[in-house]
Structure formats: C-alpha cells, structure tokens
Amino acid sequence: MPLLPYIFAGWLAVFGLNWISARIFAVLLCAFISDLLFYWVYRETKQFRWAVLAVILFVFNSLTPYGLLTAKTFTVTVVTSLLALILITDSSPRYGILKSGFAGFLAGICFGTRLPAAPVILIVIVVALSNNFGQKWRRLLACSTGIMLSLIPVFILFFKDPAIFWFNNVSFHSLRHAGRPSLIGDFQQKAKIILGMLGHTYTKGGIGSQSLLLFLPFIGVFSRWKKLSLSEIATLFFAMFMLLVSLLPTPTHHSYFAVSFPFVIFLGMLHLAKVYPSRPY
C-alpha cells in the first residue's frame, strides 16, 4: 500500500539511503514491539512472569529475524496494529477520546501500509462502538476522524488514477507466480507451508516446532469463548484473519506469518494466566 514508502522515506532521508539504515529502522521497531507486548500482557494479566515470557517467545522466535528484522512491510504493520488495539481496548477513562482518535489514526496507517491488515479498521470501530468505558459516541467519532485523516494520502492517490492504484496494490500480486498468473493458487505449495508451520515438515530455524509450541496455548483460548475479555476478542479476530490471509499470496512464504505471531503470543499468555492464576507475579 502507498503509505509504506513514505514511512521508510522519512527515516532514510535522515539516517541515510541504504539497506543498513532501513534494517536499523526495522530493529528499532522490533524493540518497540517487544515493549508493547510486555506492556499489553502485563496490563491484562497483572502478572510479571507472563509479560516476560511473551517477550522471550517473541525475541527468540525464528520468525522474528526472518520476517520482522528485514526492511519489509511486516514490522510497520505489527507496530501500528498492535498499538491501535492496545489503545482502543484500554478501559481507563483517562484521555479516552484522545486514545480512540490515535487508535483510529494508527489503524488507518496500518491499512495504508499493508492491504491485508484492513480488518484492524473495522475492529477498532466496533470496539469503540461497543465498549462500556463511557463517552461511546465521542470515542467513535474520534476513532473515525483519526482513520480518515491517516488515509487522506491514500484517497488522493486513488482518485488521481484508480486503475494504476488498483494494479499497484491488488492486481500486481497476481503476476508473482511465474508461468501461471493468479492471485490465489498453487494450493499444494500452501499445504506444504501449513504442514511446516505445524512442525510436520522441515522448516528453516525450527520455525515449525516453535510455531506448534505457540499454537497450543493459543488454541486453548477457544475453550473460554464465552468468557473472553474485550482485548482477547478483538485480538483473536485480527490474529485469525492475519493467519488466514498469510496463505493467500502465491507463492506463500513462512515469513508472512510473522505479522500474526505477536498476537498469537499475546492470546496464549492470557490463556495461560487464566489457567495458572495462583501466583501474583
């Protein structure tokens, strides 16, 4: 999506137009993701051990250097969506309007940098509309305003030439599969990726076995479906969508799942905190 080059351009204009500079930017964003993950898990569980474990699982997961420490779209997507969900699900009434507006702004930036992350916009709007934190309609208005403001550059580029915009952001992806142009295809290759993510076949850096380990507590979340908190419900919908959409591009790569795994880790830690609630730390 068109906002990504502008985000990287702002950094590169200051710190140098080269891949080392771009990767340093990705590293700093990854460090920020670790901080956000720690804060969010601790805010929801009030237990230090699960927050620390979440950071450990994120930092030492092979998908992190494979997908997030490179100068790609994934890191910006994770930072903006993660922070948007943290802000919009915050039950504290302090600065509620401001947090909703900023959450909407970040959700718009997230969509404006990566098309498959579009559901984050719908999620923040639904949460703003359904929350019980007070000032519901004012928070919804602030959230919607933030979204519209962040997407102004996207609207400008779209109305300037809709055909080119559509090709650059959608149709182009159908040309990636050599010899067989198709937006979604090669299901045999996708099946191999799924088996690899479940640890059934070999994957680089042990991605499959690590993923299987993270999926176990994540799956446990579904056993508490009727008792999930607002943060869990919002994150679950986003994580499930990002996991599914990671299989759509042809060919599919393991690195695409890097976007969803911080949210999988978050949900897994919350589930473990509910299963083992005895210790206050």
Side-chain angles (χ1 to χ4, degrees):
M1 288 290 281
L3 292 187
L4 183 71
Y6 293 100
I7 294 176
F8 269 93
W11 172 271
L12 296 175
V14 177
F15 297 99
L17 186 60
N18 55 73
W19 282 115
I20 294 178
S21 176
R23 288 206 167 190
I24 290 175
F25 183 48
V27 169
L28 293 176
L29 289 178
C30 267
F32 188 43
I33 292 171
S34 299
D35 294 337
L36 291 175
L37 200 55
F38 178 91
Y39 166 78
W40 201 15
V41 173
Y42 186 78
R43 190 188 79 181
E44 298 296 322
T45 65
K46 299 297 187 294
Q47 295 187 35
F48 183 77
R49 56 176 174 161
W50 301 120
V52 172
L53 182 58
V55 174
I56 292 174
L57 291 174
F58 172 72
V59 171
F60 290 98
N61 191 300
S62 295
L63 278 176
T64 298
Y66 187 38
L68 298 179
L69 289 181
T70 53
K72 298 180 180 179
T73 64
F74 306 137
T75 314
V76 177
T77 302
V78 174
V79 168
T80 50
S81 57
L82 192 62
L83 190 52
L85 291 177
I86 289 174
L87 290 172
I88 201 64
T89 59
D90 188 359
S91 59
S92 172
R94 190 178 184 184
Y95 304 119
I97 304 299
L98 183 61
K99 286 185 289 189
S100 296
F102 194 38
F105 185 82
L106 288 167
I109 294 292
C110 182
F111 167 63
T113 56
R114 186 167 174 79
L115 180 62
V120 72
I121 290 182
L122 178 61
I123 290 173
V124 296
I125 290 176
V126 171
V127 172
L129 186 61
S130 62
N131 71 65
N132 297 315
F133 312 147
Q135 299 180 316
K136 177 168 62 177
W137 294 109
R138 293 180 63 186
R139 290 180 65 137
L140 177 62
L141 178 61
C143 181
S144 302
T145 303
I147 293 171
M148 296 302 295
L149 287 175
S150 64
L151 290 179
I152 287 176
V154 177
F155 292 140
I156 292 174
L157 292 172
F158 174 78
F159 288 113
K160 186 176 182 180
D161 196 322
I164 291 180
F165 184 93
W166 181 261
F167 175 81
N168 289 342
N169 295 287
V170 181
S171 301
F172 163 78
H173 297 285
S174 66
L175 305 177
R176 301 193 323 152
H177 195 243
R180 288 181 292 172
S182 175
L183 189 60
I184 302 173
D186 200 351
F187 295 101
Q188 185 177 2
Q189 189 263 345
K190 297 181 190 302
K192 291 180 180 179
I193 292 293
I194 294 174
L195 292 175
M197 292 300 295
L198 295 177
H200 183 71
T201 58
Y202 171 78
T203 52
K204 295 180 180 179
I207 291 176
S209 55
Q210 294 177 12
S211 302
L212 181 61
L213 180 64
L214 295 178
F215 277 135
L216 292 176
F218 171 71
I219 293 173
V221 172
F222 292 93
S223 65
R224 300 184 296 102
W225 176 254
K226 295 182 179 180
K227 298 180 181 179
L228 295 180
S229 65
L230 183 63
S231 294
E232 288 176 299
I233 294 173
T235 308
L236 181 60
F237 276 107
F238 186 68
M240 288 298 297
F241 184 87
M242 295 310 297
L243 284 171
L244 292 174
V245 82
S246 298
L247 290 169
L248 296 183
T250 304
T252 301
H253 298 286
H254 295 106
S255 59
Y256 297 163
F257 293 90
V259 174
S260 56
F261 265 57
F263 303 95
V264 170
I265 292 172
F266 168 76
L267 291 168
M269 294 305 99
L270 264 61
H271 176 67
L272 291 177
K274 298 288 177 60
V275 176
Y276 304 102
S278 56
R279 298 180 181 180
Y281 54 84

